């Protein structure tokens, strides 16, 4: 990928963010997501590339969306793409913090191909690279990271999602003296905070979406952090009933077709096979990672984080201004 294409990807997430912003606080997360998907597809189809969505929305869904295997672009270099047009659709619909539009891209074959399913994720920054092992209990990993960072457990901070599936784990870690930050949604931003020294976040652990996991992995690899993950069938995360087992059967069949396995620990180098990847995110609502879209002087201002691993890791924050009615028309 050339540098011009990298910057065009920033325009893609900005378009998605602006489209979602038009639905901010309106209580309709599906409408927000649909608007962001449409805007992202339109922009991707204008780029000089042969792009393919390798992980995103499920390929069996009927709704218009960026689905796994979808081909995009005007032709040119072959590019793997992982997307989440809005990470935090509920937060957008409710006007809450930390909603972003995100995308990762790399040369063909660089990003993990997997269904849209649950993924267990463990992420640390560069100073703890090489000490995590998802085969071991989480508390063992926390102790290893604390030792690598030369910190007592009482000074270690882990971030996770405030979901019922994590409630017992959060209580257990807090009883051990670990500081736990539980956020409603947004594990991509949470993962990146481990590589942001000023954030004070040492680790991220959660069970969330696989597309968000691969998007995060691209940024973590470019930033020199570390990550391990494991694909989980639905009935292991949600209630083990007939409906969820049927979905799990479909997930495992699709995993087999794509050459990946459920419940197998995936190293960062398996999630993202090359350093030549890039990550881009645009804030929709105010968060720790990015500022949200704001109105000023008849314009909309958005902030975009661009992490470019093509050759050497470079981090840029871009500020872009658009006409006030732009969000309505994208």
């Amino acid at each position: 990928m050339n540098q011009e294409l990298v910057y065009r990807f920033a325009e893609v997430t900005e378009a998605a963010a602006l489209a979602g912003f038009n639905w901010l606080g309106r209580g309709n997360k599906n409408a927000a997501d649909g608007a962001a998907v449409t805007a992202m597809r339109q922009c991707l189809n204008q780029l000089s590339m042969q792009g393919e969505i390798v992980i995103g929305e499920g390929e069996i869904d009927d709704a218009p969306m960026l689905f796994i295997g979808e081909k995009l672009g005007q032709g040119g270099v072959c590019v793997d793409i992982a997307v989440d047009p809005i990470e935090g659709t509920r937060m957008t619909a409710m006007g809450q913090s930390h909603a972003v539009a995100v995308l990762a891209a790399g040369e063909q074959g660089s990003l993990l191909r997997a269904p849209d399913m649950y993924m267990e994720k463990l992420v640390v920054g560069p100073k703890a690279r090489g000490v995590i092992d998802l085969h071991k209990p989480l508390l063992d990993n926390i102790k290893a990271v604390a030792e690598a960072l030369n910190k007592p457990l009482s000074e270690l901070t882990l971030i996770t999602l405030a979901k019922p599936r994590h409630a017992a784990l959060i209580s257990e870690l807090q009883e051990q003296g670990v500081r736990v930050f539980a956020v409603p949604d947004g594990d991509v931003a949470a993962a990146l905070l481990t590589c942001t020294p000023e954030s004070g976040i040492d680790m991220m652990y959660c069970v969330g979406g696989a597309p968000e996991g691969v998007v995060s992995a691209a940024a973590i690899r470019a930033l020199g952090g570390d990550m391990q993950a494991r694909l989980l069938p639905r009935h292991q995360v949600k209630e083990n009933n007939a409906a969820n087992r049927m979905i799990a059967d479909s997930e495992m069949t699709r995993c087999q077709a794509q050459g990946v396995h459920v419940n197998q620990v995936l190293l960062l180098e398996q999630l993202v096979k090359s350093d030549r990847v890039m990550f881009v995110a645009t804030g929709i609502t105010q968060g720790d990672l990015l500022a949200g879209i704001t109105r000023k002087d008849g314009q909309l201002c958005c902030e975009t984080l661009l992490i470019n691993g093509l050759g050497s890791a470079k981090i840029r924050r871009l500020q872009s201004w658009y006409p006030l009615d732009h969000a309505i028309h994208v």
Side-chain angles (χ1 to χ4, degrees), residues 6-14 101-105 215 219 278-282 290 304-307 318:
V6 169
Y7 282 101
R8 292 296 304 275
F9 279 125
E11 296 176 4
V12 172
T13 57
E14 287 175 359
V102 295
L103 177 151
V215 170
M278 54 82 59
F279 166 94
V280 59
T282 301
L290 285 160
T304 297
L305 176 66
L306 178 61
I307 301 173
L318 311 175

Side-chain angles (χ1 to χ4, degrees), residues 103-168:
L103 177 151
E107 56 195 14
Q108 189 176 36
S110 60
L111 302 181
L112 177 75
R113 293 171 179 261
D116 178 11
M117 58 190 296
Y118 282 105
M119 177 182 275
E120 183 181 18
K121 314 163 199 179
L122 180 60
V123 184
V124 293
K127 291 184 179 180
R129 182 174 177 85
V131 306
I132 57 173
D133 185 350
L134 204 50
H135 293 100
K136 298 179 180 179
L138 180 59
L139 187 58
D140 288 355
N141 279 282
I142 290 173
K143 291 176 180 177
V145 172
E147 183 177 354
L149 299 179
N150 195 26
K151 287 185 174 184
L153 285 184
S154 60
E155 292 184 12
L156 196 85
T157 302
L158 179 143
I159 191 168
T160 189
L161 298 180
K163 303 292 185 183
R165 58 182 174 269
H166 297 141

Side-chain angles (χ1 to χ4, degrees), residues 56-57 66 93 99 105 138 151 172 212 226 266 284 302 304 307 320:
E57 303 289 354
L66 290 160
L138 180 59
K151 287 185 174 184
E172 177 188 350
E212 293 87 346
D226 202 2
L266 299 166
I284 300 172
C302 58
T304 297
I307 301 173
S320 302

Side-chain angles (χ1 to χ4, degrees), residues 192 219 222-223 277-280 305-309 313-316:
L192 266 68
L223 293 172
V277 291
M278 54 82 59
F279 166 94
V280 59
L305 176 66
L306 178 61
I307 301 173
N308 183 1
K314 296 179 180 177
I315 305 171
R316 290 184 171 89

Side-chain angles (χ1 to χ4, degrees), residues 37-326:
V37 166
T38 298
M40 189 171 273
R41 173 180 285 114
Q42 289 174 349
C43 286
L44 287 170
N45 272 325
Q46 294 171 9
L47 302 187
S48 298
M49 64 167 186
Q50 297 181 57
E52 181 181 355
I53 305 296
V54 298
I55 188 163
E57 303 289 354
E59 62 268 48
I60 62 173
D61 293 304
D62 295 324
M65 56 182 60
L66 290 160
F67 58 88
I68 297 170
E70 182 172 357
K71 305 296 194 299
L72 299 154
Q74 297 287 319
V77 61
C78 294
V79 179
D80 283 356
I81 301 172
V83 295
D84 192 353
I86 297 183
E87 194 205 14
T89 53
R90 184 182 61 82
M91 295 183 291
T92 302
M94 301 305 292
Q96 298 173 340
S97 302
H98 304 294
V100 295
V102 295
L103 177 151
E107 56 195 14
Q108 189 176 36
S110 60
L111 302 181
L112 177 75
R113 293 171 179 261
D116 178 11
M117 58 190 296
Y118 282 105
M119 177 182 275
E120 183 181 18
K121 314 163 199 179
L122 180 60
V123 184
V124 293
K127 291 184 179 180
R129 182 174 177 85
V131 306
I132 57 173
D133 185 350
L134 204 50
H135 293 100
K136 298 179 180 179
L138 180 59
L139 187 58
D140 288 355
N141 279 282
I142 290 173
K143 291 176 180 177
V145 172
E147 183 177 354
L149 299 179
N150 195 26
K151 287 185 174 184
L153 285 184
S154 60
E155 292 184 12
L156 196 85
T157 302
L158 179 143
I159 191 168
T160 189
L161 298 180
K163 303 292 185 183
R165 58 182 174 269
H166 297 141
L169 180 64
I170 291 170
S171 296
E172 177 188 350
L173 295 181
Q174 290 173 335
E175 288 172 2
Q176 294 290 328
V178 179
R179 183 185 290 115
V180 180
F181 291 174
V183 296
D185 292 292
D187 61 85
V188 173
L192 266 68
L193 290 176
T194 65
C195 294
T196 309
E198 61 270 22
S199 73
I201 301 297
D202 300 305
M203 302 179 67
M204 194 283 288
Y205 173 84
C206 75
V207 175
E212 293 87 346
V214 176
V215 170
S216 299
I220 297 303
R221 176 148 187 174
L223 293 172
D226 202 2
M227 177 176 178
Q228 293 189 11
R230 181 161 36 202
L231 295 167
L232 302 177
R234 179 175 290 261
H235 72 290
Q236 290 181 205
V237 179
K238 297 285 191 177
E239 184 181 356
N240 187 3
N241 56 29
N244 285 332
R245 286 195 298 271
M246 184 177 299
I247 293 172
D249 288 342
S250 173
E251 290 171 339
M252 288 186 280
T253 297
R254 285 181 283 148
C255 280
Q256 185 176 13
Q258 295 180 29
V260 293
H261 302 282
V262 299
N263 293 309
Q264 175 181 314
V265 173
L266 299 166
L267 305 180
L268 179 60
E269 293 74 18
Q270 293 171 291
L271 297 166
V272 179
K273 301 177 180 65
S274 169
D275 290 325
R276 297 182 59 79
V277 291
M278 54 82 59
F279 166 94
V280 59
T282 301
I284 300 172
T285 58
Q286 184 68 33
D288 294 328
L289 185 67
L290 285 160
I293 295 171
T294 57
R295 298 181 179 92
K296 185 177 180 181
D297 299 330
Q299 293 181 302
L300 294 171
C301 179
C302 58
E303 184 180 47
T304 297
L305 176 66
L306 178 61
I307 301 173
N308 183 1
L310 303 181
S312 61
K314 296 179 180 177
I315 305 171
R316 290 184 171 89
R317 287 185 182 270
L318 311 175
Q319 193 175 66
S320 302
W321 296 83
Y322 292 87
L324 190 58
D325 65 348
H326 184 84

